[in-house]
Amino acid sequence: MALMEKALTRSLPIWEKCKNTRFVQQLLEGTLPEHLFRSYLIQDSIYLSQYARAYGKAIYHAQSLAELQLYYSALGFISGTGSEMAVRQDYLARLGLTGREIEEIQPLPENQRYIRFLLETAERGDRREILMAILPCMLSYGYIFQGQKGRAPAQGRMDYRRLIQEYTSEGYGESCREWLDFAGEACGELPETEEAALADIFVQGSLLELRFWRMFGEERDGE
């Protein structure tokens, strides 16, 4: 069994738990309390700023122009105009929060553990390990939100549909498939022990995703 198949087989049940958290279900239904959405946006903005740093390390260790371009395209989605970060910044502006204020907020413990995992993996500098650490975030969002377009009704000034639409688009689905293909090529034909170690990193990232979603409800650290 190929590495990505192993990693996905172990992670899909975890992603299903992510999708079934109360936070995600209320977000999709448009019934999520605004204070929980505010907390999510703050913590996710903190996370994304560090997630982008992990991509920077991956860019540094890229071995081809095609690989560089792939990482740059994802980094643009995270931090560029009209992107994932821009959508969050628009919501935060509606809530009266500035980037400077967010920089002064400490990450919650679950978020801090996730950030530490990303940065420690990136610091080791192994391009395959970095790839396995950053992919669960991107791919799990695709799994959670693909097929959910239009489910969330308008919710006053906090219409959650714009956030959801970031991950329900055809383009996002294509991007996820492109990254899966790239990971399959980058991590192909490895010794079994190395494959197992890389799959473990991917699964660890998936578990940290679950703990991230559970930060905003009564379900905390209880897989």
Side-chain angles (χ1 to χ4, degrees), residues 17 29 44 56 119 142 147 173 192:
K17 289 181 181 180
E29 292 163 0
D44 200 46
L119 298 185
E192 187 172 342

Side-chain angles (χ1 to χ4, degrees), residues 113-188:
R113 283 197 291 271
Y114 200 174
I115 290 169
R116 187 181 305 116
F117 161 76
L118 284 172
L119 298 185
E120 287 178 355
T121 305
E123 192 61 33
R124 291 199 295 269
D126 182 288
R127 59 190 283 269
R128 295 187 180 95
E129 290 185 357
I130 297 171
L131 181 61
M132 290 301 104
I134 63 179
L135 275 182
C137 177
M138 176 192 300
L139 298 181
S140 67
Y141 265 72
Y143 180 87
I144 291 168
F145 292 107
Q146 285 289 305
Q148 304 293 337
K149 188 173 183 179
R151 180 175 165 186
Q155 180 85 133
R157 66 172 181 161
M158 289 295 108
D159 182 349
Y160 302 140
R161 288 176 297 183
R162 189 178 173 203
L163 178 74
I164 294 167
Q165 286 167 359
E166 285 288 301
Y167 308 106
T168 59
S169 68
E170 183 68 26
Y172 194 84
E174 290 177 1
S175 180
C176 287
R177 291 189 287 273
E178 184 179 13
W179 277 96
L180 275 172
D181 290 342
F182 169 68
E185 293 174 6
C187 302

